[in-house]
Amino acid sequence: MTITLNHTIVPALDRRRAAGFFAAVMGLECLPPAGAHGHFAPVRVNESLTLDFMTVETPEGHHLAFDVDPDTFDGILARLGELGVPYGDHPARRDNGRIDHPLRPRGLFFADETGNLYEVMSD
């Protein structure tokens, strides 16, 4: 059997707000609450991966990196602009508005209010 990642927990100050932010930027849809007592706010990333946002008292940000096709990258870049979300070409420069990623032809980093760092890369 091939090993695939099914889901991961993303810590958040507010699970619903964090899931909504991520879904809005990435062009995805939030799923109905999941887990015992609905304590997860899931976002389906693809057919095999769900991010389950969970409110925690003192969250520590995580780094999540995504490969996307050029059209999806363009859509994410447009939504970041529409939403006024700062982005940049390096984790330490998340607000310089550049997309010249050090590893791929195009890429960017942006963060949510919890400090989760999202990296999006494309050709």
Side-chain angles (χ1 to χ4, degrees):
M1 176 179 172
T2 301
I3 297 173
T4 59
L5 181 64
N6 175 274
H7 73 278
T8 191
I9 308 272
V10 181
L13 293 168
D14 178 304
R15 68 183 177 270
R16 289 183 188 96
R17 191 168 57 232
F21 171 78
F22 176 77
V25 169
M26 299 297 284
L28 302 170
E29 187 176 336
C30 291
L31 300 174
H37 313 291
H39 63 275
F40 294 125
V43 177
R44 169 79 57 203
V45 175
N46 59 40
E47 60 280 345
S48 65
L49 176 62
T50 301
L51 297 185
D52 291 346
F53 290 81
M54 183 173 80
T55 302
V56 296
E57 193 170 312
T58 54
E60 293 183 15
H62 289 224
H63 178 159
L64 297 109
F66 301 92
D67 287 321
V68 300
D69 62 68
D71 290 339
T72 300
F73 185 88
D74 291 341
I76 292 167
L77 185 59
R79 286 186 292 278
L80 286 167
E82 291 165 7
L83 295 168
V85 176
Y87 62 88
D89 64 341
H90 189 276
R93 297 182 300 275
R94 296 186 305 244
D95 61 354
N96 67 9
R98 294 174 50 175
I99 61 169
D100 51 321
H101 193 275
L103 302 175
R104 299 285 294 277
R106 298 192 308 162
L108 57 84
F109 296 83
F110 67 96
D112 65 16
E113 69 178 1
T114 298
N116 291 306
L117 179 64
Y118 300 102
E119 181 177 8
V120 182
M121 300 170 283
S122 182
D123 292 326

